[in-house]
Amino acid sequence: MKTKGHVIKKVLPDSIAEEFELEPGDKLLKINDVDIEDIFDYQYLVEDDYIEVLIETKDGEVLLLEIDKEPDEDLGIEFENGLMSEYRSCHNKCIFCFIDQMPKGMRETLYFKDDDSRLSFLQGNYITLTNMSDKDIDRIIRFNLGPINISVQTTNKELRCKMLNNRFAGDALDKIDVLFKAGIEMNGQIVLCKGINDGNELEKSIIDLMKYIPVMRSVSVVPSGLTKYREGLFPLESFEKEDAGKVIDLIEKYQKEIYEKHGVHFIQASDEWYILAERDFPEEERYDGYIQLENGVGMMRLLISEFMEEYNTLKPHTLEKKRVVSLATGVLAYDTLKHMSEMLEDKFENLKVNCYKIINNFFGEKITVSGLITATDLMDQLKDKELGEKLILPNNILRSGEDVFLDDYHLSDVKSALNVDIEISKCDGKEFCKSILTDEYLNAEKEDNGNFVYIDVYDKYKK
Ligand code: SF4
């Protein structure tokens, strides 16, 4: 008979598991005679300084290991299933869901709609709380986990039910109160849909969520992403420049008020609003330490700050011979990267940087982030362009840790189609300088920091 348990995928070197000669393929059955439901249980149970671990080896032998260890010391095991349980899919059908707007025929995993609180802690995913049981909430409180990232959308219960297409979505908001009372750190997110949860509804949501400060650390407001595949879906409209201005004005009004009271800005507009409204990004301090960077909140400000810090230390320099490099990015970051490239060209004679704006034909022109650019669009739009020595691409264009694009092309396919070397660069201002200047950057004499004069990337271009 097959025994239940969690199959070990990897035993880390110099770990307790290695010392006890555990091997990939062995199964963890119990810890301290307790069945392990998932990764939360596991992490909680291994915390003690003495634990009894029941293992079934791949040969079917059952062993009880008595382990003395430091309280926080891990066993050094990775499991075949990272969550140690099935992934939970969502119970909603949100009117703005991106997955519903994807073309058919893509990799199957891209269509999986997860809404799993364990992924919120492990990977920072945002969850709606609609499929969390009281037991889940109890465990979060008992294990004192956090922060938990919550897709709020609106605090109007009736409207939330409509937006999520789930009659339990309104009452699920009550779980925020329970988490708040238990002091579990939270971050919120509001995906804004034009004419639905914006305007007065947004204002009400901000006011309602303010009462959770400081346990709730931040709330981001991001526009719903609309692809060209919306046939048969709820009719949503795109935000225009004027709408974006109104969203920013409302958010900035509350940032001011909240900062005076609590010393944090709390409610944050994502970068897209500022670009759409054609306004400057807020100053660094406004992002409260960039809590919601992963949500596209403050990414451009951080990139500019890092770039300028580096740029201002570089002495003007003439490259020995003319060098041409190129970079490609989505519509969203294009203007900023173009300005930054031009500033480097000004400082480094003989350097030419071709900056290319990639229109997202795959998902539709309204999708402007570089993370959703496909290899197909890159190859189509760059095929006749001057690419020079190398093409620089942001690392978020590839699947994390792999060299595969969203449409399953490999980096090598794009390299050979465009006949150019490709360098993947971190979305970081210093790395940006380094990727473009390479040896010249590394060898260039730096300015004495005493002469550091801070200029903003836009100051130059606003004149
Ligand atoms: S919670 Fe909503 S947006 Fe998220 S996957 Fe489910 S339906 Fe899509």
Side-chain angles (χ1 to χ4, degrees):
M1 189 187 81
K2 280 242 171 211
T3 330
K4 273 191 178 174
H6 303 281
V7 181
I8 294 173
K9 183 176 83 178
K10 195 172 168 190
V11 172
L12 302 181
D14 304 320
S15 64
I16 295 174
E18 188 183 63
E19 194 185 315
F20 279 85
E21 298 181 349
L22 297 186
E23 289 182 3
D26 293 347
K27 271 186 196 167
L28 170 68
L29 300 180
K30 290 183 183 207
I31 296 180
N32 296 343
D33 207 26
V34 176
D35 288 324
I36 298 143
E37 192 178 311
D38 62 11
I39 188 78
F40 284 179
D41 275 356
Y42 172 75
Q43 285 176 349
Y44 182 67
L45 287 164
V46 293
E47 265 187 5
D48 284 350
D49 51 1
Y50 171 77
I51 51 174
E52 295 182 348
V53 179
L54 194 66
I55 295 284
E56 182 186 284
T57 68
K58 52 185 177 217
D59 305 324
E61 193 182 350
V62 177
L63 309 169
L64 183 69
L65 312 179
E66 297 179 354
I67 300 176
D68 281 307
K69 62 179 202 53
E70 295 298 321
D72 292 337
E73 201 178 355
D74 190 41
L75 298 184
I77 298 173
E78 284 177 14
F79 296 94
E80 269 186 1
N81 178 334
L83 272 189
M84 300 177 77
S85 113
E86 293 302 312
Y87 284 69
R88 281 188 208 155
S89 61
C90 90
H91 291 177
N92 313 312
K93 193 159 182 358
C94 300
I95 57 172
F96 53 84
C97 182
F98 194 83
I99 296 172
D100 290 339
Q101 307 177 58
M102 294 207 309
K104 292 197 172 65
M106 296 183 74
R107 208 178 315 131
E108 208 178 307
T109 50
L110 292 174
Y111 298 99
F112 181 69
K113 295 180 169 186
D114 81 69
D115 195 16
D116 194 314
S117 59
R118 293 156 310 175
L119 293 177
S120 185
F121 300 110
L122 296 174
Q123 298 174 6
N125 295 14
Y126 275 76
I127 56 163
T128 63
L129 304 172
T130 50
N131 67 1
M132 274 180 97
S133 63
D134 289 344
K135 188 179 160 207
D136 293 328
I137 298 276
D138 285 349
R139 282 201 320 159
I140 288 168
I141 295 171
R142 187 154 45 97
F143 299 170
N144 194 22
L145 297 168
I148 181 164
N149 295 331
I150 301 168
S151 285
V152 179
Q153 320 316 10
T154 172
T155 54
N156 174 338
K157 287 188 172 185
E158 203 182 317
L159 180 60
R160 194 170 195 254
C161 293
K162 280 189 196 146
M163 287 186 76
L164 273 62
N165 263 310
N166 180 338
R167 66 196 166 97
F168 302 109
D171 289 342
L173 286 174
D174 296 342
K175 292 172 187 152
I176 298 181
D177 288 311
V178 180
L179 294 167
F180 171 70
K181 283 186 191 128
I184 300 295
E185 272 191 12
M186 296 174 268
N187 292 301
Q189 182 195 51
I190 293 175
V191 178
L192 218 56
C193 298
K194 187 168 168 173
I196 310 280
N197 60 340
D198 55 351
N200 292 341
E201 290 292 346
L202 175 61
E203 184 157 16
K204 178 187 172 334
S205 297
I206 297 172
I207 294 168
D208 288 343
L209 293 171
M210 276 162 57
K211 67 173 185 273
Y212 299 122
I213 300 171
V215 178
M216 189 173 272
R217 304 185 306 170
S218 67
V219 174
S220 61
V221 180
V222 303
S224 48
L226 303 182
T227 78
K228 61 184 182 187
Y229 301 98
R230 289 201 55 84
E231 216 182 293
L233 299 176
F234 187 94
L236 282 179
E237 279 178 61
S238 308
F239 287 101
E240 305 299 336
K241 182 178 169 184
E242 199 188 323
D243 308 313
K246 284 185 189 159
V247 171
I248 294 171
D249 289 343
L250 181 66
I251 289 176
E252 292 191 340
K253 176 182 139 193
Y254 279 95
Q255 281 184 334
K256 204 162 169 279
E257 191 183 315
I258 295 170
Y259 188 75
E260 277 164 18
K261 254 194 227 158
H262 302 279
V264 288
H265 297 87
F266 182 65
I267 184 86
Q268 309 276 1
S270 67
D271 297 352
E272 280 165 281
W273 297 112
Y274 288 92
I275 292 167
L276 190 56
E278 294 174 25
R279 293 194 192 173
D280 286 350
F281 300 112
E283 65 289 354
E284 196 152 26
E285 293 66 35
R286 201 102 65 79
Y287 291 105
D288 294 339
Y290 296 110
I291 303 177
Q292 298 232 12
L293 210 52
E294 297 290 318
N295 257 336
V297 181
M299 273 176 125
M300 301 314 293
R301 168 50 68 208
L302 181 61
L303 181 77
I304 292 168
S305 303
E306 290 164 343
F307 171 78
M308 289 315 307
E309 200 168 311
E310 192 61 19
Y311 180 83
N312 283 317
T313 68
L314 295 169
K315 267 192 176 171
H317 194 71
T318 305
L319 305 189
E320 270 173 31
K321 52 180 191 280
K322 188 164 173 64
R323 187 150 108 249
V324 181
V325 296
S326 55
L327 61 95
T329 186
V331 174
L332 195 71
Y334 173 78
D335 283 347
T336 305
L337 294 189
K338 175 95 177 115
H339 291 333
M340 284 162 39
S341 306
E342 286 171 0
M343 289 176 76
L344 286 174
E345 283 177 339
D346 285 354
K347 211 170 210 179
F348 291 82
E349 213 168 305
N350 275 340
L351 172 70
K352 185 174 178 217
V353 186
N354 293 321
C355 193
Y356 295 112
K357 185 195 291 185
I358 305 296
I359 307 294
N360 200 324
N361 292 328
F362 190 88
F363 286 111
E365 287 188 12
K366 286 173 186 150
I367 301 299
T368 55
V369 293
S370 57
L372 291 172
I373 294 177
T374 55
T376 311
D377 276 334
L378 277 177
M379 293 188 289
D380 283 353
Q381 293 173 47
L382 296 179
K383 65 175 183 275
D384 301 320
K385 298 283 192 289
E386 182 193 37
L387 299 175
E389 277 174 29
K390 64 177 175 184
L391 169 66
I392 302 165
L393 298 176
N395 61 354
N396 64 0
I397 211 165
L398 296 175
R399 273 166 75 180
S400 165
E402 296 178 44
D403 70 348
V404 184
F405 290 85
L406 210 50
D407 50 353
D408 284 341
Y409 280 100
H410 285 253
L411 206 50
S412 52
D413 300 325
V414 181
K415 268 185 198 174
S416 48
L418 296 174
N419 194 22
V420 69
D421 269 347
I422 297 183
E423 182 176 318
I424 300 296
S425 174
K426 278 205 284 182
C427 302
D428 166 312
K430 189 171 177 176
E431 286 297 316
F432 177 83
C433 295
K434 210 165 151 181
S435 297
I436 289 178
L437 298 167
T438 53
D439 290 349
E440 279 74 15
Y441 162 77
L442 296 169
N443 298 332
E445 209 181 322
K446 297 280 173 103
E447 287 277 10
D448 179 349
N449 273 341
N451 296 332
F452 186 93
V453 183
Y454 189 89
I455 57 164
D456 196 299
V457 77
Y458 287 113
D459 294 346
K460 184 178 164 66
Y461 291 90
K462 269 192 240 153
K463 282 174 197 157

